[in-house]
Amino acid sequence: MSDSAASAAAALLDRIQAPEGAGRDIPDAATREVIGRAPVAAVEDLDDAIARAKAAQPAWEALGHEKRSAVLLAAADAIDANAEGLAYLLSREQGKPLNGPNARFELGACSAWLRTNATTVLEPQVLVDDETLHAELVYKAAGVVGAIGPWNWPLMISIWQIGPSLRMGNTVVAKPSEYTPLSVLAMIAVMNEVLPPDVLIGVSGDREVGARLASHPDIDKIMFTGSTATGRRIIESSAGNLARLTLELGGNDAGIVLPGTDPSVIAEDLFWGAFINTGQTCAAMKRLYVHDSVYDEVVDALAAIAASVPMGNGLDENNVLGPLQNRAQFDIVSRLVDDAKARGARVVTGGESAPELGELFYRPTIVADIDNDAALVQEEQFGPALPVIRYSDVDEAFDWANGLDVGLGASVWSSDPEAARDAAGRMQSGTVYGSTRTADCTRWCRSAG
Ligand code: TXE
């Protein structure tokens, strides 16, 4: 971490934060020191933002694909030029370290995704062309998109919402999570160095502002990532404005390690599949089913990695795991692990907070010999605690994996590509990741269903 990153972050903060005495204090996730003041918009401010975005939309759409692409490529360049300052702010506000698959990685993903959006070709598709009919599918803007974001990957998920929307000629009103507003507003300010006025407006506010955004009559589409409970409320709101919806809600991704898999080759990938962003990732592995024949070896290998991966303040380049982002999430993780212990599950490593690192740190935790009906398995922990469940009957493992009413992602692990492919087909999930890594070969497959 360099002094220049700290001063770049301070300069970005000055551009977006509320005046002294106004707004809400936002803490550093690791140290709990106040790092800045988030503006707290009133519902009237949101109404004004939506009116401005609506007025700006026709001209933005009329610019055409080619010119919009050029502007979005320039916005991606602007993110890259400010990446160190943004990563520094993100690291403090969210807690994720600068290093590892964390803050710098997130900034890289933002500009890469925006470039992908900007350069995606959107030619009309001819659907029917015969003697009687010519029909084409053409891509048109919806109007004003409301983008409501979470706190775990606040910049990347905002860009997933903002990038395609702008690319199509929509304008966007983005409401970041109240836990991580500063880094998102700072990234929007950087993008607005090159975007025309009012094409992208960040509005930071509480849940009432989110609720108003979802139900506003001039919003044509809502993109939301967050909890299932809030997703349900957004669906109810959309009955009023008939906005189109794209919702990414909570998950509880299962992983299955098939018999005959070499634990030593997959252990590191398994670990990061579960602990990326200290477990606060929608499609992270949140429950792992391991065949009896390799169970002890997998548990020991995971525990050895968990016990040795450096956790701490994200500004220290040595660290690759950070704190839980907020108290509510810390309490969920603590409750679920305590419940597992009370039920007699075996904590192989971790299983407690790490107060010497800071208030919201929880040690990387591997819980073995745990039943499938334990709360740590059945509920989304969204933190650094992985339950590893033993199975001997492969059919039962699939029943358990598919037994919850969530299906965001899943993974299968095998040294045999054919077995992995078959297993992927049995997982009831939107996306299945398959690792068929062997000692001398890595193959990843992915299927959407
Ligand atoms: O989400 P919320 P929270 C899961 C994870 C976590 C839980 C709660 O399990 O423990 O969700 O997180 C806005 N209308 N995920 O409390 O409450 C709110 O202001 C419109 C998984 O942060 O859903 C914020 O901007 N908007 C997830 C956003 O919704 C409303 C990532 C998310 O808040 C609103 C994060 C309303 N009525 C948490 N109420 C993933 N899949 O990645 C709130 N909001």
Side-chain angles (χ1 to χ4, degrees):
M1 186 264 301
S2 66
D3 288 349
S4 64
S7 25
L12 287 167
L13 205 49
D14 281 346
R15 287 164 65 179
I16 50 105
Q17 71 175 333
E20 215 152 314
R24 200 186 40 245
D25 287 347
I26 300 294
D28 179 309
T31 64
R32 311 307 289 158
E33 290 162 4
V34 173
I35 56 176
R37 299 171 303 278
V40 181
V43 164
E44 299 72 44
D45 301 323
L46 176 74
D47 289 350
D48 173 62
I50 294 172
R52 286 189 284 128
K54 187 177 178 183
Q57 194 273 329
W60 175 241
E61 186 176 6
L63 206 56
H65 287 312
E66 214 169 293
K67 286 190 180 149
R68 275 202 308 278
S69 283
V71 176
L72 293 177
L73 288 173
D77 291 344
I79 292 174
D80 281 345
N82 288 277
E84 272 297 297
L86 287 168
Y88 184 96
L89 191 54
L90 173 65
S91 178
R92 294 200 70 192
E93 185 180 43
Q94 204 284 331
K96 66 183 62 187
L98 287 169
N99 207 348
N102 292 300
R104 288 196 189 101
F105 168 85
E106 183 164 350
L107 263 303
C110 287
S111 55
W113 177 253
L114 199 50
R115 284 198 181 92
T116 301
N117 295 150
T119 52
T120 299
V121 177
L122 293 167
E123 297 297 338
Q125 277 173 252
V126 176
L127 301 178
V128 184
D129 189 23
D130 60 25
E131 311 75 54
T132 56
L133 185 68
H134 179 86
E136 286 182 3
L137 175 69
V138 294
Y139 297 92
K140 302 282 285 180
V144 183
V145 173
I148 304 176
W151 48 260
N152 57 336
W153 292 88
L155 302 187
M156 187 173 77
I157 292 177
S158 293
I159 281 287
W160 287 355
Q161 300 172 338
I162 293 167
S165 303
L166 293 182
R167 170 73 183 90
M168 285 310 308
N170 304 286
T171 50
V172 178
V173 176
K175 193 208 90 63
S177 166
E178 49 274 40
Y179 288 116
T180 50
L182 298 175
S183 48
V184 177
L185 293 179
M187 181 177 71
I188 289 175
V190 162
M191 293 174 72
N192 275 330
E193 289 169 7
V194 297
L195 292 172
D198 295 335
V199 157
L200 172 61
I201 305 175
V203 177
S204 128
D206 292 329
R207 285 159 184 258
E208 303 70 57
V209 172
R212 173 70 176 159
L213 182 56
S215 60
H216 197 287
D218 287 334
I219 287 291
D220 301 286
K221 178 177 169 79
I222 286 286
M223 298 183 80
F224 169 79
T225 297
S227 66
T228 305
T230 305
R232 287 204 175 92
R233 275 184 225 117
I234 288 175
I235 292 170
E236 285 164 16
S237 299
S238 71
N241 58 8
L242 292 176
R244 294 185 211 177
L245 302 177
T246 300
L247 309 176
E248 191 208 325
L249 310 179
N252 192 348
D253 291 17
I256 296 185
V257 178
L258 294 173
T261 308
D262 182 347
S264 64
V265 236
I266 59 166
E268 193 143 339
D269 291 340
L270 274 179
F271 178 83
W272 284 111
F275 286 81
I276 182 168
N277 198 25
T278 316
Q280 302 160 105
T281 298
C282 26
M285 187 200 307
K286 306 210 171 104
R287 48 198 174 112
L288 178 62
Y289 299 94
V290 182
H291 189 258
D292 196 34
S293 58
V294 286
Y295 185 85
D296 293 334
E297 278 175 89
V298 168
V299 166
D300 290 349
L302 279 172
I305 299 171
S308 66
V309 171
M311 171 181 266
N313 189 309
L315 300 183
D316 180 338
E317 299 282 353
N318 186 46
N319 294 324
V320 287
L321 295 175
L324 272 311
Q325 201 281 330
N326 56 73
R327 166 63 58 184
Q329 202 59 50
F330 178 91
D331 289 345
I332 291 172
V333 173
S334 306
R335 171 178 64 79
L336 293 174
V337 175
D338 287 350
D339 175 79
K341 284 192 231 172
R343 298 168 63 105
R346 178 165 59 99
V347 174
V348 190
T349 188
E352 57 183 10
S353 62
E356 76 283 6
L357 298 176
E359 214 180 290
L360 299 184
F361 285 87
Y362 200 92
R363 294 188 204 289
T365 298
I366 302 293
V367 180
D369 300 331
I370 181 168
D371 293 335
N372 187 53
D373 61 0
L376 180 59
V377 181
Q378 297 288 312
E379 295 177 30
E380 183 180 36
Q381 70 279 54
F382 216 61
L386 180 68
V388 189
I389 306 103
R390 188 192 297 265
Y391 73 86
S392 46
D393 173 358
V394 178
D395 290 336
E396 189 169 39
F398 283 107
D399 287 347
W400 285 341
N402 293 330
L404 303 185
D405 63 356
V406 287
L408 187 59
S411 59
V412 290
W413 304 77
S414 171
S415 302
D416 174 354
E418 280 314 307
R421 192 182 307 277
D422 288 349
R426 294 181 68 181
M427 294 294 241
Q428 290 165 10
S429 160
T431 303
V432 184
Y433 304 89
S435 167
T436 57
R437 193 189 269 269
T438 57
D440 54 1
C441 157
T442 303
R443 282 183 49 181
W444 284 86
C445 56
R446 185 178 174 176
S447 75

